[in-house]
């Protein structure tokens, strides 16, 4: 146990029985024997010292190694470091570097940032013995977690390790080795900083002058105390300050130990390690287990010199006090686990803070459920049934507390019960507030209140037929509940729909509200004779309170409609009457049609309905009001599309493909006449006529729907050109007539004289040449022509003689 005051630090040495006191201002150690301080006075002094501790003191335990066996949680062990026994039992010691193990280390895995939290203290007991005296142990503050330890003279300190190293070196490597010299009797205490470790450095070093450090290599443990305060470094052993130094470190680093051996060796071990920092301590409290919305006090007593921040804020009464109340709901059936963190700091050094956590377990409430019986005043008792549950097995068994809400309860018939499924006797027809409280094994409870009715003892049953005007065998029958009781509710209804033939076939309803409707379908029957059915209804207000009634209903036979499926029709068919729909029973009544494109009398108009499938319905109603209907589909089929073009022109003796097109389903083609066609049953046959001809194409689609079109074939004959004509005015051969040339509308005709002079020219030959030029007759003689018929014909040239 250690206590701190503004002026001094005191702590006991349990091995020597002495009490040490360190004067902080004078940097001086005094020793006081326990024997000189009576027990009571010693405790009073300790109390006074405790009361004198300032708010901002290095009392926060940042890290420690203690326990049996040693608890190394949060520490990383490397190399030969291990938990074991050196001087005692129970594995209470940490062997940093066992004999002949070369090197080992143990470092705390949480960093300490000296740029904001610039004070720390470390205390530990150390021992180096059992071998030939080498090499040493170092307590370090390193910028990065160390790896790559150096054995032998390096004390296990990595070569790239940047930071502070407090070294207890048992072997002097700064003098030449000489077997006659006892190097292991020259221990040193060293303060080293910077990269790596240099034993023979000019940095602060204390050698074994006059044997003052010989205890470093000994069989007993010695207590080391190392303090860092804004760059001021103090190293004490067993209450004596041996070495001081100054070096500021403004980075976050890791605290721990390294050790090593070489050609000479020892066992290097530590115990009772505790590291304090200048942070205020964070106390989140111990794990708490609560019920939903119960308040759980977290944290500790407040200190006005501290600043607190809790996370998360959900469920906390405040996030900036030392001891908030957590109040959390849990609507589930399993425990809800919530973890809270508190960060404690000084207001002026917020970065130098500590963190602690606490777990709050919110156990689930029981999910309360129970059923109340349906009873009347004449029933012997009311049996209540619990169905409360939870998904958390540890919440069982439940404790039950029933209150029956009975103002007439007696000692023999008490108003409360601790049973899970109790019974109670009620003496009046009333509404009673029945409450169940359930407490789980972990103390969580909930309650449920239900209004329970003890119904009257005299129910009155009644019902009415809702659709009495349409009681046909193919329709449901509907009855409405009119049952009542002098107090309370009808709790159950039973209906027998055909009591005459099936008296035990009943339907039960446990919620027979007034006005509720029940429906039933009797077997459908046909013919002309109605049938009678007897309906029996019972109404209960409890287990033994009942009334019943019987009523007779008459059902009429249903018609049976036949409606033959109508065939598909083409869209251009004229309106016609749909047949094949009738009542097969031949009842008296009236029928009508409905649907797209049809009137009520059954006249169907394909053009009005349009192409596609259409639903037609035939409805027949008998004189008793019973109806039946049948529905069928009729298809209106589209006409095929056909186009042949207007005309095809071919030369005499030639042929042409008739360019017809058609669209539709299942098309069949027929050309007429079939003369001169290679196939009259295909869409585009080839025609080779001798003269002009007109063809008709008839196209028939699925369902027999038909369309047609025509095309003419023009045959161009070879022009017959006369070689002479006599334009003498006698009316005979007065013009140069060329047979068949008029069939060539784009032809050109040119006539020249012997000198090549153009006498006549025309496009087309609508006006034949009359042997004139500019209105004057040409002389008798021979003239030359060039005729280009075009339309696939070659140019024709020759001579024609004009005779007078």
């Amino acid at each position: 146990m250690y206590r701190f005051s503004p002026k001094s630090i005191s702590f006991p040495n349990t091995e020597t029985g002495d009490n040490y006191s360190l004067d902080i201002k004078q940097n001086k150690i005094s020793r006081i024997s326990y024997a000189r301080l009576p027990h009571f006075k010693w405790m009073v002094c300790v109390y006074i010292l405790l009361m004198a501790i300032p708010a901002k003191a290095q009392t926060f335990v940042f890290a420690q190694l203690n326990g049996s066996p040693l608890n190394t949680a949060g520490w990383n062990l490397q190399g030969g470091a291990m938990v074991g026994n050196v001087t005692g039992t129970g594995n209470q010691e940490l062997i940093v570097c066992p004999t002949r193990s070369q090197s080992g280390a143990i470092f705390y895995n949480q960093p300490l940032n000296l740029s904001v939290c610039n004070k720390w203290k470390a205390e530990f007991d150390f021992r180096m013995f059992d071998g030939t005296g080498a090499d040493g142990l170092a307590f370090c503050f390193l910028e990065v977690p160390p790896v790559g330890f150096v054995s032998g003279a390096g004390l296990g300190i990595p070569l790239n390790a940047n930071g502070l190293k407090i070294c207890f070196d048992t072997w002097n490597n700064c003098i030449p080795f000489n077997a006659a010299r006892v190097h292991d009797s020259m221990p040193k205490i060293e303060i080293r900083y910077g990269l790596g470790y240099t034993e023979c450095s000019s940095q602060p070093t204390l050698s074994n002058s006059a044997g003052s450090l010989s205890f470093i290599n000994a069989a007993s443990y010695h207590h080391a105390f190392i303090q860092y305060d804004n760059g001021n470094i103090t190293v004490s052993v067993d209450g004596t300050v041996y070495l001081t130094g100054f070096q500021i470190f403004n980075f976050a680093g890791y605290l721990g130990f390294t050790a090593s051996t070489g050609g000479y060796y020892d066992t290097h071990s530590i115990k009772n390690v505790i590291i304090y920092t200048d942070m205020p301590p964070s106390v989140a409290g111990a794990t708490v287990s609560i019920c939903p919305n119960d308040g759980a006090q977290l944290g500790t007593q407040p200190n006005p010199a501290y600043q607190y921040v809790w996370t998360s804020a959900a469920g906390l009464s405040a996030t900036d006090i030392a001891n908030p109340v957590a109040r959390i709901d849990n609507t589930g059936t399993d425990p809800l686990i919530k973890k809270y963190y508190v960060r404690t700091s000084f207001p002026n050094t917020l970065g130098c803070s500590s963190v602690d956590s606490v777990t709050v377990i919110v156990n689930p409430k029981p999910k309360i459920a129970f059923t109340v019986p349906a009873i009347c005043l004449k029933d012997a008792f009311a049996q209540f049934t619990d169905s409360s549950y939870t998904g958390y097995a540890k919440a069982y068994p439940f404790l039950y507390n029933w209150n029956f809400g009975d103002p007439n309860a007696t000692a023999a018939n008490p108003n409360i019960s601790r049973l899970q499924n109790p019974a109670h006797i009620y003496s009046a027809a009333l509404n009673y507030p029945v409450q169940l409280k359930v407490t789980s094994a972990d103390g969580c409870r909930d309650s449920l209140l239900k209004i329970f009715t003890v119904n009257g003892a005299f129910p009155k049953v009644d019902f009415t037929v809702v659709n009495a005007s349409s009681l046909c065998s193919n329709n449901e029958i509907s009855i409405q509940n009119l049952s009542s009781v002098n107090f309370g509710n009808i709790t159950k209804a039973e209906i027998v729909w055909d009591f005459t033939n099936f008296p035990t076939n009943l339907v039960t309803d446990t919620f027979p509200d007034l006005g509720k409707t029940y429906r039933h379908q009797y077997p459908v029957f046909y013919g002309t004779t109605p049938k009678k059915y007897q309906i029996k209804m019972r109404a209960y207000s409890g287990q033994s309170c009942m009334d019943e009634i019987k009523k007779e209903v008459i059902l009429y036979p249903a018609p049976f409609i036949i409606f033959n499926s109508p065939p598909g029709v083409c869209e251009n068919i004229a309106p016609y009457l749909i047949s094949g729909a009738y009542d097969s029973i031949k009842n008296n009544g009236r029928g009508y049609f409905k649907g797209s494109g049809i009137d009520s009398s059954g006249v169907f108009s394909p053009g009005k309905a349009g192409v596609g499938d259409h639903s037609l319905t035939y409805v027949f109603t008998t004189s008793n009001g019973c109806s039946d209907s049948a529905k069928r589909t009729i298809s209106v089929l589209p006409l095929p599309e056909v186009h042949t073009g207007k005309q095809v022109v071919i030369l005499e003796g030639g042929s042409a493909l008739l360019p017809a097109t058609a669209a539709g389903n299942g098309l069949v083609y027929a050309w007429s006449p079939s003369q001169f066609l290679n196939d009259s049953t295909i869409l585009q046959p080839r025609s080779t006529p001798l003269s002009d001809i007109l063809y008709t194409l008839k196209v028939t689609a699925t369902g027999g729907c038909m369309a047609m079109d025509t095309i003419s074939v023009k045959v161009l004959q070879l022009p017959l050109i006369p070689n002479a004509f006599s334009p003498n005015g006698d009316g005979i051969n007065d013009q140069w007539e060329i047979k068949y040339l008029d069939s060539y509308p784009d032809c050109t005709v040119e006539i020249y004289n012997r000198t090549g002079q153009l006498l006549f020219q025309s496009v087309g030959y609508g006006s034949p040449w009359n042997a004139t030029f500019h209105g004057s007759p040409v002389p008798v003689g021979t003239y030359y022509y060039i005729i280009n018929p075009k339309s696939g014909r070659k140019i024709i040239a020759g001579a024609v003689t004009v005779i007078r």
Side-chain angles (χ1 to χ4, degrees), residues 757-800:
Q757 184 182 13
L758 179 64
L759 304 179
F760 177 84
Q761 182 181 32
S762 69
V763 177
Y765 201 58
S767 296
W769 185 44
N770 58 4
T772 62
F773 177 64
H774 292 320
S776 299
V778 298
V780 172
T782 300
Y783 296 88
Y784 302 93
Y785 60 85
I786 299 174
I787 299 174
N788 186 358
K790 300 183 180 180
S791 300
R793 291 285 186 187
K794 293 181 180 181
I795 294 175
I796 306 171
V800 60

Side-chain angles (χ1 to χ4, degrees), residues 714-720 737-747 749 764-768 789:
K714 181 69 175 177
V715 180
L716 298 179
Q717 304 287 341
L718 182 65
L720 298 179
E737 300 284 353
I738 303 174
K739 191 175 184 180
Y740 303 129
L741 189 57
D742 58 348
S743 298
Y744 299 85
D746 297 326
C747 69
V749 179
Y765 201 58
S767 296

Side-chain angles (χ1 to χ4, degrees), residues 94-419:
L94 195 291
I95 305 172
V96 184
C97 181
T99 301
R100 300 182 185 276
S101 184
Q102 300 299 312
S103 65
I106 179 170
F107 275 78
Y108 193 55
N109 61 13
Q110 296 297 320
L112 178 64
N113 191 347
L114 295 189
S115 65
V116 292
C117 196
N118 46 29
K119 294 182 182 181
W120 56 262
K121 295 184 301 184
E123 297 187 54
F124 56 89
D125 296 332
F126 69 92
R127 177 185 183 275
M128 291 178 284
F129 202 65
D130 302 329
T132 55
D135 264 280
L137 175 76
F139 178 78
C140 305
F141 172 76
L142 302 182
E143 187 173 11
V144 295
V147 293
F149 302 102
V150 177
S151 61
L155 303 187
I157 300 171
L159 294 175
N160 63 344
N162 180 38
L164 175 64
K165 305 97 181 180
I166 307 299
C167 306
F168 299 93
D169 195 343
T170 62
W171 185 280
N172 192 337
N173 290 288
C174 297
I175 59 175
F177 177 76
N178 187 330
R181 304 185 68 174
V182 186
H183 288 254
D184 61 349
S185 65
M186 303 177 186
K188 297 175 294 181
I189 300 177
E190 305 157 351
I191 298 176
R192 297 290 184 263
Y193 36 81
L195 289 175
Y197 167 68
T198 303
E199 180 180 346
C200 305
S201 170
S202 61
Q203 294 174 353
T205 303
L206 178 65
S207 298
N208 190 22
S209 177
S212 60
L213 299 181
S214 297
F215 64 86
I216 290 179
N217 185 238
S220 60
Y221 276 93
H222 293 272
H223 187 76
F225 180 85
I226 302 168
Q227 185 172 14
Y228 175 87
D229 184 353
N230 289 287
N232 295 299
I233 304 165
T234 304
V235 182
S236 305
V237 180
D238 295 335
T240 299
V241 176
Y242 283 99
L243 190 61
T244 62
F246 181 84
Q247 180 67 27
I248 291 178
F249 303 93
N250 59 0
F251 55 78
Y254 297 81
L255 293 165
F257 298 84
T258 70
S260 69
T261 64
Y264 291 79
Y265 54 87
D266 265 330
T267 298
H268 302 66
S269 60
I270 56 174
K271 64 178 181 178
N272 299 325
V273 179
I274 185 166
I275 302 173
Y276 300 92
T277 67
D278 206 19
M279 330 176 188
S282 290
V283 180
T287 298
V288 293
S289 181
I290 61 173
C291 295
N293 294 312
D294 287 352
Q297 185 80 56
L298 308 182
T300 186
Q301 290 299 316
N303 187 324
Y306 296 164
Q307 180 167 306
Y308 306 92
V309 177
W310 287 82
T311 54
S312 68
L316 293 185
S317 60
T319 59
D320 57 353
I321 62 175
N323 51 355
V325 174
R327 197 176 303 276
I328 309 169
D329 195 12
N330 181 6
T331 60
T333 58
D334 294 308
L336 176 66
I337 299 176
K338 182 79 173 178
K339 195 165 187 176
Y340 291 99
Y341 296 86
V342 59
R343 181 179 294 275
T344 307
S345 60
F346 295 111
N348 58 344
T349 55
L350 299 180
C352 187
S353 58
S354 62
V355 178
D356 192 21
S357 64
V358 62
T359 299
V360 179
I361 302 172
V362 186
N363 296 312
K365 288 182 180 180
K367 299 296 182 183
I368 300 183
F370 65 89
T371 57
V372 296
I375 67 167
C376 63
L377 192 58
K378 292 195 300 183
D379 291 329
F381 57 84
Q383 178 69 56
F384 298 94
T385 304
D386 166 69
S387 55
S388 304
Y389 69 95
T390 181
Y392 184 38
K394 293 183 180 179
Y396 292 103
F398 287 165
L399 297 178
Y400 301 90
N401 187 352
W402 290 84
N403 187 310
F404 302 117
D406 185 2
N408 301 316
T410 63
N413 182 37
N415 196 42
I416 61 174
S417 175
R418 308 292 185 191
L419 298 176

